[in-house]
Amino acid sequence: MKLELGNIIINDIQFTNEGSKVENGVLYVNQEEIKELVLEDSNIDTCEVFIARPGESVRITPVKDVIEPRVKVEGPGGMFPGWIAKVDTVGSGKTNVLKGAAVVTTGKIVGFQEGIIDMSGPGADYTPFSKTYNLVVKMEPVEGLKQHEHEYALRIAGFKVACFLGALGKNLTPDEVETFEFDNLVESARKYPELPRVAYVQMLQSQGLLHDTYVYGVDAKRTLTTIINPLETMDGAIVSGNCVSSCDKNPTYVHQNNRVIRELFKAHGKTLNFMGMIITNENVYLADKERSSNWSAKLAEYLGCDGVIISQEGFGNPDTDLIMNTKKIEAKGIKTVIITDEYAGRDGKSQSLADADASANAVVTGGNANQVIVLPPMETVYGHLHFVDTIAGGSANNIDAHGNITVEIQAITGATNETGFHNLSAR
Amino acid sequence: MEFIVVTNNPLVKEKYENELNVDYADISFRDVLCKVRDMIHKGHRLLTHPLSGSVKPHETPYKSILVSKQATQMDLGEVSIIENSIITADKFAEKFPNMPQSVKEDFQLIDCTLITSGIDAVLRR
């Protein structure tokens, strides 16, 4: 299977009263077109659209999802299969990407929802989405809408807007084209017999309301651990319905641009043989955890792996899935490297994970989510600042008289991402 | 498998008390964990993970956990999970002593949804 990602580099977003378009690296957006699209859903009462550029004195909060605008140019399937496009298999042909642009959805779902993106100041260093040109879509639901339907409405609206913007790049010539090829198992094994065989095990958050991930439209908590072609993931097969734990949740943008997959492709045929990708879930029921981790180990063995990389999503309860996966895969004689983040207390001295095992002896950290940061006030806030009191990492009365907010970095979107999407780590 | 819902969440009590075995008490998050730990020591089986999703301990005051109704033999793996959960919970200081009612209700709903996914898994529905 071969996928070409055609990057159309976006250097700015501007509003226009004419039709939305991409021209000379500028994404021109007609707000009315976006609002009309979003308000097609009768569950959404109001919609406002803003632009947030790198370096501006802007804070976006609470962030629900971040999505990269893309369009299928050639080949089967379309964007976000199971939600926007039909369920045809994606991951081949050509997809154009508005590289540098992102759709950021915001709006109240529950009273403590979270996620901060600061476009400048010290907070900007802690989020990857201070470097993208963001179209912020703020939506409020109709009165009395239940949280499940509300989450669904916001999620779908974000995908629709991303598809609308992506489509503006359909007939453009990309500034650069990245080509990824992935062979079948037999072919891979034959090509690089001397290289260590490595697979990627991605754990997907799947516990319930505000904690869900979807694969081709299927709720991951209702799946068995399975094999997916990494190119399918790169082409939008996995999307986020996960609103909680902003620092270490994977927004849809992170699935579309999974760094572990990209690094494995870079090393493929040079230092290792990238054999495939296993996706597994993080459920609340302990028997599900046992079953899913059994299957991770079984599939890693089936792929003939010498080693696997395991990435986690979230914290606490999923630490148990992480350790179960690690123990069982190691027990098959397959080496593991795990990617996680830490809740080691504000002083960094506490035990980092809620579970541990001696076989988890190769660990990459995405940073300590309890690390404290002071965020100075921003001139403009898109969203609802009053939630900052009640988000993860915030605490009562954490805003001082000058408007400085003291929070743990777990409040910042993507700060301690567990797929290596951001820059915090430790050596 | 017959099970008990150990909870301090009034919404879970309201939703399930007529249908399931609900052991409700107006106690703290930590006390729910300790209560379950004591049950596991007596041989009840731990059915759902004691830490909620990615909502941190003490961010939410509510906790519901499923344990088997029948007490047989203590499972050391489950003892380790519950003990580690208590240690983890203690790392997080209580943040919101005066939480607004609307936020409390949202946390009740989240906890209720998470435990519902556990209940559905046990009941295979």
Side-chain angles (χ1 to χ4, degrees):
Chain A
M1 200 141 102
K2 180 172 154 185
L3 176 67
E4 288 182 27
L5 292 178
N7 293 325
I8 298 158
I9 309 293
I10 300 298
N11 301 309
D12 196 12
I13 304 183
Q14 290 180 22
F15 284 132
T16 177
N17 292 323
E18 296 161 18
S20 300
K21 62 181 175 184
V22 174
E23 202 173 78
N24 299 323
V26 179
L27 171 58
Y28 294 92
V29 178
N30 181 316
Q31 287 167 275
E32 297 309 315
E33 289 177 336
I34 301 293
K35 287 181 193 171
E36 200 178 313
L37 186 67
V38 168
L39 295 174
E40 278 174 2
D41 184 344
S42 57
N43 282 336
I44 300 176
D45 187 37
T46 63
C47 170
E48 294 172 88
V49 184
F50 311 101
I51 293 167
R53 302 178 182 87
E56 289 181 342
S57 181
V58 168
R59 171 166 299 144
I60 312 165
T61 190
V63 172
K64 188 206 174 308
D65 199 5
V66 185
I67 308 146
E68 185 163 67
R70 294 177 169 200
V71 64
K72 182 56 79 179
V73 177
E74 217 179 276
M79 285 307 110
F80 312 122
W83 297 111
I84 304 295
K86 291 183 179 175
V87 294
D88 297 298
T89 301
V90 294
S92 65
K94 293 181 181 177
T95 296
N96 276 359
V97 182
L98 301 190
K99 200 43 119 189
V103 174
V104 177
T105 50
T106 175
K108 175 190 182 298
I109 296 181
V110 286
F112 63 94
Q113 207 211 328
E114 52 181 22
I116 296 175
I117 296 173
D118 276 2
M119 299 305 291
S120 62
D125 292 338
Y126 287 87
T127 175
F129 305 111
S130 61
K131 290 100 188 165
T132 45
Y133 288 88
N134 299 326
L135 191 77
V136 182
V137 185
K138 181 185 171 194
M139 294 165 275
E140 301 302 340
V142 291
E143 187 89 10
L145 190 68
K146 292 287 175 210
Q147 283 90 339
H148 288 90
E149 293 161 311
H150 187 177
E151 188 281 323
Y152 176 84
L154 259 57
R155 172 154 43 88
I156 299 301
F159 298 156
K160 281 162 69 177
V161 173
C163 286
F164 172 82
L165 298 180
L168 304 173
K170 184 160 187 175
N171 298 317
L172 300 182
T173 307
D175 298 298
E176 60 179 32
V177 177
E178 298 176 284
T179 305
F180 300 91
E181 277 188 81
F182 195 74
D183 293 316
N184 69 45
L185 208 56
V186 177
E187 194 61 20
S188 281
R190 191 189 59 77
K191 263 190 184 168
Y192 307 110
E194 74 289 358
L195 293 176
R197 292 182 294 272
V198 176
Y200 173 34
V201 178
Q202 186 181 18
M203 296 167 50
L204 305 173
Q205 180 59 268
S206 62
Q207 293 174 17
L209 177 61
L210 306 187
H211 290 78
D212 284 316
T213 306
Y214 300 88
V215 183
Y216 281 98
V218 179
D219 185 343
K221 77 163 109 25
R222 299 192 181 278
T223 61
L224 283 170
T225 301
T226 191
I227 292 173
I228 191 170
N229 189 314
L231 296 177
E232 295 175 81
T233 305
M234 295 177 91
D235 209 17
I238 303 178
V239 301
S240 170
N242 186 8
C243 308
V244 186
S245 197
S246 46
C247 65
D248 55 16
K249 74 173 183 182
N250 293 328
T252 300
Y253 192 103
V254 168
H255 289 295
Q256 294 170 301
N257 293 280
N258 190 307
R259 287 285 161 87
V260 177
I261 295 175
R262 282 181 167 263
E263 289 300 315
L264 284 169
F265 268 117
K266 262 192 229 168
H268 180 58
K270 299 186 182 85
T271 56
L272 56 82
N273 192 352
F274 184 17
M275 297 303 288
M277 176 169 178
I278 296 164
I279 44 175
T280 184
N281 52 19
E282 301 175 348
N283 286 12
V284 292
Y285 185 41
L286 288 177
D288 285 345
K289 291 182 187 301
E290 290 287 359
R291 186 186 307 108
S292 293
S293 52
N294 289 344
W295 279 59
S296 300
K298 182 175 69 178
L299 292 176
E301 185 181 40
Y302 170 71
L303 291 175
C305 294
D306 298 305
V308 299
I309 295 168
I310 308 173
S311 71
Q312 185 187 2
E313 180 171 5
F315 148 86
N317 181 329
D319 293 354
T320 296
D321 301 273
L322 177 69
I323 295 304
M324 283 184 181
N325 281 318
T326 306
K327 270 163 77 169
K328 292 177 185 179
I329 293 172
E330 288 267 349
K332 299 272 187 194
I334 300 167
K335 290 191 179 348
T336 60
V337 174
I338 64 177
I339 313 176
T340 180
D341 64 347
E342 299 175 66
Y343 286 77
R346 291 188 168 195
D347 60 5
K349 288 180 182 166
S350 304
Q351 182 182 313
S352 301
L353 297 178
D355 206 343
D357 188 78
S359 64
N361 55 11
V363 181
V364 178
T365 176
N368 178 14
N370 293 128
Q371 182 189 330
V372 176
I373 183 172
V374 177
L375 302 175
M378 293 279 137
E379 282 169 23
T380 309
V381 175
Y382 296 139
H384 299 269
L385 189 58
H386 61 271
F387 290 124
V388 170
D389 249 11
T390 44
I391 56 181
S395 50
N397 307 318
N398 61 349
I399 303 181
D400 73 14
H402 306 288
N404 295 305
I405 306 172
T406 303
V407 289
E408 294 177 4
I409 60 169
Q410 57 171 300
I412 299 175
T413 301
T416 61
N417 184 278
E418 294 161 293
T419 61
F421 196 77
H422 203 226
N423 49 18
L424 279 184
S425 194
R427 279 177 203 278
Chain B
M1 182 192 289
E2 284 199 275
F3 60 88
I4 304 168
V5 187
V6 180
T7 185
N8 66 353
N9 181 348
L11 182 63
V12 169
K13 175 176 181 278
E14 188 190 324
K15 184 172 175 185
Y16 289 115
E17 67 182 344
N18 295 325
E19 186 191 350
L20 304 170
N21 295 308
V22 178
D23 180 353
Y24 170 84
D26 183 12
I27 53 179
S28 71
F29 183 106
R30 190 182 196 279
D31 287 345
V32 174
L33 298 184
C34 292
K35 187 170 171 179
V36 167
R37 177 197 59 197
D38 295 347
M39 292 174 81
I40 291 167
H41 285 169
K42 287 179 190 155
H44 293 270
R45 300 301 304 268
L46 180 66
L47 300 180
T48 58
H49 198 285
L51 294 174
S52 352
S54 292
V55 181
K56 311 298 179 298
H58 297 304
E59 224 165 81
T60 173
Y62 301 106
K63 183 76 258 169
S64 303
I65 302 172
L66 302 188
V67 292
S68 68
K69 193 175 171 195
Q70 203 187 2
T72 50
Q73 200 181 357
M74 184 174 77
D75 181 290
L76 284 176
E78 290 166 8
V79 171
S80 158
I81 289 176
I82 187 74
E83 292 284 1
N84 278 324
S85 298
I86 294 169
I87 293 167
T88 301
D90 287 343
K91 280 196 292 195
F92 293 83
E94 190 165 1
K95 284 172 179 164
F96 311 111
N98 303 313
M99 186 178 285
Q101 187 57 27
S102 65
V103 175
K104 280 187 183 170
E105 285 170 12
D106 285 340
F107 277 125
Q108 289 172 12
L109 179 80
I110 293 284
D111 174 67
C112 186
T113 312
L114 295 178
I115 205 63
T116 296
S117 96
I119 290 168
D120 288 350
V122 183
L123 298 178
R124 306 270 175 240
R125 61 187 187 189

